[in-house]
Amino acid sequence: MRVDLTITNLSEIVSPKGKPPVCGKNMSQLSIRKNKNIAIKDGKIVYIGSEIPPALRTINANGAIALPGLVDPHTHIPFTGNRAHEFIMRLHGKSYMEIMQAGGGILSTVKAVRKASLKELVLRGAYALNEMLKLGVTTVEGKSGYGLEKTAEIKQLKALKLLNKVQLVDVIPTFLGAHALPEEFEDKKEYLNYLSNMLKDVREYTDTVDIFCEKGVFEVEESREFLERAKAMGFRLRLHADELAPSGAGKLAVELRAVSADHLISADDETLEAISKSATTAVILPGTSFFLKERFARGRKMIDLGSAVALASDFNPGSCNIYDPYLIMHLAVTRCGLEIEEAVTAYTINAAHILNLSNRKGKIEEGYDADIVLLGLNSYTEIPYMFSRITVVSVIKSGRVVFHES
């Protein structure tokens, strides 16, 4: 059989093991195949082994390692505007919530996104996604939530749909209309009812709803009512949970069988126990803790309890202007207590599971999408050590070489 592409002379092919979501101690189990080759045809991996099938194109990896294309399951693409001044405010002691309550934070970006054209959102989003692709991130979740009214929210969802078509990274949209209370509304219940009435229009663009369930934003009871309506309409549920305070949001995620509870920086022991016994995946976002100078989520405890844990960047204009996956993995290992093997699993197959893509993304296995990143390292164990100067040798997306170091 003649294939489209072969990748030869790989020192390691690294892939998570197990049925997703991979939980607890099983997250440390990786498949490490040394000195093997990969063959790709029609965008799929068709062979991994010692032979070199005849191919239209061959890449000599020169001893590089291969990882599955990384999956970022929590970003706030698309957005526009700049909040660098808020970064300075935090340096002078202002908290995230203080900035938000003063009209900054999310509401600042809302003003910019409402003014922006659909074309501007797509162009800004495409630039960010291209930079992420060069780092080996091949699938990304993006959220609305910077519109906070129907026209602007739909504009963001349209931008996500277009971004999935006009550039190479797979883009999975999520509706986050419940991101903050817009200035036009004084009553949170009234606003959540407004969002509930939007859900039939949102369904054209996504099957997933998220909410910022936090003290001072949307409280647990308010969130429950909205999420139950979304669930009754067939939406998958996700929650920003226990980020700034132990709000009960993580427990609500378990109660409603949400796909994920994200952040969990402030989650108490009872919440982590509940998540560990549930089908809800814990998503930790250490870049946000780093950027905001906050404490870090207790990833080690989550895994020791038996939870499935995923990693994400939380790339957004205000609380985490970071999309580099190697910095995120470094922080997960050095601040959240993960082993590097667990970080790899968290950024690949468990992240793909959250986006309902784990049957074809997040592993280097025959039959999976040929989304692969080659790193110029001696071993995957060097990733957290060499994070500031990772050399991405090549990125293969759907079987195409989309970046290759010259």
Side-chain angles (χ1 to χ4, degrees):
M1 175 180 67
R2 190 175 184 85
V3 300
D4 299 325
L5 176 68
T6 57
I7 308 171
T8 65
N9 196 22
L10 287 159
S11 63
E12 290 180 348
I13 300 173
V14 181
S15 183
K17 287 183 178 180
K19 182 180 179 181
V22 184
C23 300
K25 64 182 180 181
N26 292 327
M27 287 183 61
S28 65
Q29 302 301 308
L30 298 179
S31 168
I32 311 295
R33 284 166 284 197
K34 294 184 178 292
N35 304 313
K36 303 297 183 183
N37 309 307
I38 300 173
I40 296 165
K41 186 174 179 63
D42 297 329
K44 300 286 186 179
I45 299 167
V46 296
Y47 172 80
I48 302 169
S50 301
E51 303 299 320
I52 304 178
L56 297 176
R57 179 177 181 183
T58 298
I59 294 177
N60 183 345
N62 293 313
I65 68 169
L67 291 178
L70 299 171
V71 179
D72 193 331
H74 185 131
T75 84
H76 289 266
I77 293 170
F79 58 80
T80 188
N82 185 302
R83 283 158 58 184
H85 63 288
E86 293 180 12
F87 185 83
I88 303 300
M89 290 172 69
R90 282 195 297 273
L91 292 180
H92 292 159
K94 294 293 184 182
S95 72
Y96 179 87
M97 288 303 295
E98 285 174 331
I99 293 169
M100 186 172 174
Q101 289 163 0
I106 292 166
L107 296 179
S108 173
T109 301
V110 167
K111 293 174 184 177
V113 167
R114 287 183 178 182
K115 290 179 182 178
S117 67
L118 177 62
K119 181 179 179 181
E120 182 181 351
L121 290 180
V122 171
L123 289 174
R124 286 285 301 270
Y127 175 82
L129 290 165
N130 186 57
E131 294 301 301
M132 296 172 80
L133 183 64
K134 292 176 185 177
L135 295 170
V137 179
T138 54
T139 302
V140 166
E141 182 256 16
K143 302 179 190 292
S144 69
Y146 290 132
L148 305 189
E149 59 87 25
K150 185 174 180 179
T151 300
E153 285 290 309
I154 296 296
K155 178 172 64 176
Q156 277 195 281
L157 293 171
K158 284 181 178 178
L160 288 164
K161 189 173 183 178
L162 285 169
L163 283 167
N164 194 47
K165 294 179 178 179
V166 302
Q167 52 78 57
L168 296 170
V169 176
D170 290 313
V171 178
I172 311 301
T174 294
F175 176 56
L176 181 59
H179 198 192
L181 183 68
E183 293 176 334
E184 299 89 339
F185 286 82
E186 294 183 359
D187 182 75
K188 287 186 283 184
K189 185 173 183 179
E190 182 185 356
Y191 179 60
L192 291 173
N193 284 335
Y194 171 78
L195 294 179
S196 295
N197 291 330
M198 283 175 54
L199 290 175
K200 59 184 183 298
D201 300 300
V202 165
R203 196 56 193 261
E204 178 183 347
Y205 301 97
T206 181
D207 66 353
T208 305
V209 166
D210 197 347
I211 188 168
F212 190 3
C213 183
E214 185 71 55
K215 292 180 179 179
V217 190
F218 298 105
E219 307 283 343
V220 166
E221 290 306 317
E222 297 161 341
S223 300
R224 177 185 284 109
E225 185 175 350
F226 172 69
L227 291 171
E228 285 177 339
R229 291 179 187 176
K231 187 173 183 178
M233 294 179 65
F235 283 95
R236 304 165 77 243
L237 306 181
R238 300 184 64 182
L239 285 81
H240 285 56
D242 300 303
E243 178 182 359
L244 304 174
S247 65
K251 295 174 188 175
L252 180 63
V254 171
E255 175 190 332
L256 297 179
R257 297 185 63 82
V259 176
S260 71
D262 299 38
H263 286 292
L264 299 171
I265 294 169
S266 301
D268 57 26
D269 289 349
E270 186 178 346
T271 297
L272 297 188
E273 287 275 3
I275 291 172
S276 73
K277 295 176 172 63
S278 76
T280 298
T281 298
V283 182
I284 60 176
L285 304 114
T288 309
S289 297
F290 176 77
F291 200 82
L292 294 178
K293 295 172 61 179
E294 298 285 350
R295 57 183 171 175
F296 288 80
R298 294 182 288 165
R300 176 75 270 136
K301 184 173 181 68
M302 296 175 195
I303 293 174
D304 288 345
L305 286 171
S307 291
V309 173
L311 272 173
S313 69
D314 195 23
F315 174 52
N316 72 78
S319 61
C320 185
N321 195 22
I322 299 168
Y323 52 67
D324 185 333
Y326 310 108
L327 174 55
I328 299 300
M329 283 194 273
H330 168 84
L331 294 171
V333 170
T334 61
R335 303 296 191 271
C336 300
L338 274 65
E339 300 292 340
I340 182 55
E341 292 83 1
E342 295 164 343
V344 169
T345 298
Y347 230 129
T348 55
I349 195 65
N350 279 1
H353 167 75
I354 291 170
L355 304 183
N356 206 23
L357 295 172
S358 59
N359 63 330
R360 61 188 182 92
K361 295 186 184 295
K363 286 188 176 184
I364 300 180
E365 296 287 351
E366 293 178 11
Y368 272 67
D369 290 358
D371 295 352
I372 301 168
V373 55
L374 307 185
L375 301 178
L377 300 174
N378 296 313
S379 170
Y380 74 91
T381 58
E382 294 182 352
I383 290 172
Y385 172 66
M386 297 287 283
F387 76 97
S388 67
R389 46 191 180 276
I390 284 287
T391 300
V392 178
V393 175
S394 295
V395 179
I396 295 90
K397 179 74 187 80
S398 301
R400 294 172 52 192
V401 180
V402 295
F403 174 78
H404 187 66
E405 184 184 47
S406 57

